[in-house]
Amino acid sequence: TEAVLRQLESIVYAEVEGYKDVTVLAGTSGSYGLGSASSYTGQLTINLPPLKDRVDSEDEIKDTLRSHFADIPGATFAFGSSGGMNVGGGTSAVDIKVKSEDLDKARSTAYAIRDLLRDQASDYVTDPQISMKEGLPQANIVIDRDKLYTLGLNIYSVGQEIRANVAGTTASRFRSGGEETDIVIELAEADKTRLADLEQIFVTTPQGQRIPVSSFARYEEGVSPITIARENQSRIISVTGGSRPGASITDIQKNVEALVQKNIPQDPDVRIEYSGDFEELMKAIKQFVVIILMAIILVFAVMASQFESLLDPFIVLFTLPLTIIGIVLVYFVMGDPLNVLTAVGLLILVGIIVNNGIVLVDYTNLLRKRGLNLVDACAEAARSRLRPILMTTLTTVLGLVPMAFFPGEGSEMVMPIGRTVLGGLSFGTMMTLFLMPVLYYIFNRIREKREEKRRMKAALALEGAVQGGNA
């Protein structure tokens, strides 16, 4: 392990520029003294200077090291989230779960998927690997059931006998002074160190006849996995991989699913499920949809209580879907995909975008109470509130420009939020100034016509009643 890490270290020294220092850790131990130590895993950490002083970017360093992985056979590599590289680690941009009660079928399917991603999906998937690690020698005892039943034996009794000889069985307990000690009976160490010793194990039939295990069973040498993972009581092997810089998670997921369905034969005993970043993205989006709907309902309730009307809040909220146009336009111009942080920005935008609408609708209602007709009130409100709305919007938008368009260390977390609020607020303000007066006029004109018809019907009814009384 150390030799492999030293080889990678020499590659860093020769081909990478602009790093601060390189640290090599061969072997790992449990955290805080807990867990098992391992000598076959290690870590190479490359510390980089601040972003403005870097020569080679993080992605360029990864590509440099990745190009040498094929030169080091027998080792598995993966890049860690902190910028270091873990030998034997994993990523989760792509996570394909292979489930089956047949471990051999699950293993062969997982290896086939890994090779498929490595050979045909290298343009968008990096470093595919399997969660199950082989390495422990194992002897498999294969029993001929027909011979077993012919001899009057059963699987349970044979398994118990083999277990008792190899691992031992507790025959009784020795009690002394209130303490108990198990009495374990097993074969002597010299009689169970070789595979040939399995032939010396005998099983007793119900008739008392001793039959050697070799008369109805044979053993095969193989390699067992270090660990066997289970999920919902099913054996599971994960095939994981990273993503190329700039690749869309949605596109990666679609391409991987199409590739697996086309090239991996369907087996009723094997289930293939897809997880990873795409699944987490879908879960997060569903949660944010519920949160955003709750925010819209709460904002609507506040405006309805303020305006004492259900129509005016609807007019204000009508501009909210139109802000999506501004958000999509900003992301399209910058060439970035929508992500979970976009939903965070949209949640913030729900509370901001309604402010200008509230000011405009409230002032229009005030002008109508002062006696202005509907058309004049809409035009005068838009004209009078143009300057304050533009001033408040510009101060917010200009304050978001550094956050949205100037990258820095850690800007990946805040830049999508800034761009979402900036794009949605800019376009939403234009809709507020031009579209909201029109919507206000249309909805209130419809309401006025209904009131006029209602008054006319009431007047006609009153006139008919008066004429009937005179008659």
Side-chain angles (χ1 to χ4, degrees), residues 95-159:
D95 190 350
I96 304 174
K97 298 178 179 179
V98 181
K99 297 181 178 180
S100 177
E101 293 302 323
D102 190 328
L103 186 59
D104 292 333
K105 288 185 177 181
R107 182 193 289 112
S108 60
T109 303
Y111 275 106
I113 294 175
R114 185 201 64 178
D115 296 340
L116 182 66
L117 296 180
R118 182 182 58 196
D119 298 335
Q120 301 187 29
S122 57
D123 293 340
Y124 46 89
V125 177
T126 62
D127 311 321
Q129 57 184 307
I130 297 177
S131 60
M132 187 178 68
K133 307 300 180 184
E134 308 283 0
L136 298 178
Q138 175 175 283
N140 299 319
I141 299 178
V142 183
I143 296 177
D144 188 332
R145 291 177 181 263
D146 293 335
K147 292 183 179 180
L148 183 74
Y149 298 146
T150 302
L151 296 172
L153 298 171
N154 58 71
I155 291 292
Y156 178 77
S157 60
V158 171

Side-chain angles (χ1 to χ4, degrees), residues 140-462:
N140 299 319
I141 299 178
V142 183
I143 296 177
D144 188 332
R145 291 177 181 263
D146 293 335
K147 292 183 179 180
L148 183 74
Y149 298 146
T150 302
L151 296 172
L153 298 171
N154 58 71
I155 291 292
Y156 178 77
S157 60
V158 171
Q160 288 294 101
E161 192 68 30
I162 295 175
R163 177 190 177 96
N165 281 269
V166 177
T169 183
T170 302
S172 181
R173 288 184 175 85
F174 174 75
R175 296 175 176 84
S176 176
E179 295 183 357
E180 293 185 354
T181 304
D182 291 339
I183 301 175
V184 180
I185 300 176
E186 62 182 28
L187 286 177
E189 201 65 36
D191 295 330
K192 59 177 183 178
T193 55
R194 298 171 300 172
L195 287 178
D197 292 332
L198 292 174
E199 300 176 358
Q200 308 301 321
I201 299 176
F202 290 82
V203 180
T204 304
T205 65
Q207 293 77 23
Q209 183 181 2
R210 298 179 72 247
I211 299 176
V213 173
S214 59
S215 62
F216 55 82
R218 57 184 173 84
Y219 61 86
E220 295 177 350
E221 295 185 45
V223 178
S224 68
I226 296 176
T227 57
I228 298 177
R230 289 183 179 270
E231 184 176 287
N232 296 330
Q233 300 183 355
S234 296
R235 290 179 175 178
I236 178 174
I237 303 176
S238 297
V239 183
T240 59
S243 60
R244 292 286 181 182
S248 170
I249 296 177
T250 304
D251 294 339
I252 292 175
Q253 188 71 17
K254 291 180 180 179
N255 294 334
V256 168
E257 289 186 15
L259 195 62
V260 171
Q261 292 174 3
K262 180 181 178 181
N263 296 275
I264 302 299
Q266 299 293 326
D267 191 327
D269 296 331
V270 179
R271 300 191 309 276
I272 299 177
E273 299 178 0
Y274 300 91
S275 182
D277 289 348
F278 181 78
E279 183 183 29
E280 297 300 323
L281 176 63
M282 292 298 102
K283 290 181 180 179
I285 289 177
K286 291 179 182 179
Q287 292 176 351
F288 270 107
V289 167
V290 175
I291 295 173
I292 290 173
L293 289 177
M294 291 297 298
I296 293 174
I297 293 173
L298 293 174
V299 170
F300 183 89
V302 171
M303 290 191 295
S305 63
Q306 176 184 351
F307 291 129
E308 298 181 353
S309 168
L310 296 178
L311 182 62
D312 292 344
F314 178 77
I315 297 173
V316 175
L317 289 178
F318 190 82
T319 58
L320 187 59
L322 300 177
T323 60
I324 304 297
I325 301 175
I327 297 173
V328 173
L329 184 61
V330 169
Y331 277 85
F332 176 77
V333 172
M334 300 305 299
D336 294 333
L338 301 176
N339 51 50
V340 176
L341 296 177
T342 304
V344 178
L346 184 60
L347 180 61
I348 299 173
L349 193 60
V350 170
I352 298 178
I353 194 64
V354 298
N355 294 339
N356 295 331
I358 292 174
V359 171
L360 189 59
V361 171
D362 184 68
Y363 191 65
T364 306
N365 291 337
L366 179 62
L367 292 178
R368 294 192 66 194
K369 290 179 181 179
R370 291 178 179 177
L372 271 70
N373 60 46
L374 182 59
V375 176
D376 293 339
C378 292
E380 179 61 25
R383 187 184 307 111
S384 301
R385 297 296 122 185
L386 174 63
R387 179 176 294 180
I389 288 176
L390 287 179
M391 288 177 62
T392 54
T393 301
L394 283 175
T395 54
T396 306
V397 168
L398 293 177
L400 289 172
V401 168
M403 175 181 174
F405 300 109
F406 291 92
E409 294 188 50
S411 61
E412 297 84 359
M413 297 296 295
V414 297
M415 191 176 290
I417 299 177
R419 290 177 179 175
T420 300
V421 177
L422 185 146
L425 185 60
S426 301
F427 193 84
T429 300
M430 301 300 294
M431 293 297 100
T432 299
L433 292 173
F434 293 98
L435 183 62
M436 191 170 294
V438 177
L439 292 175
Y440 186 93
Y441 172 81
I442 292 174
F443 284 111
N444 283 273
R445 182 57 183 162
I446 294 174
R447 184 166 58 183
E448 286 184 351
K449 287 182 179 180
R450 289 177 179 174
E451 292 177 354
E452 289 177 2
K453 289 182 180 180
R454 192 179 299 111
R455 286 196 298 267
M456 290 179 62
K457 289 181 179 180
L460 291 175
L462 180 62

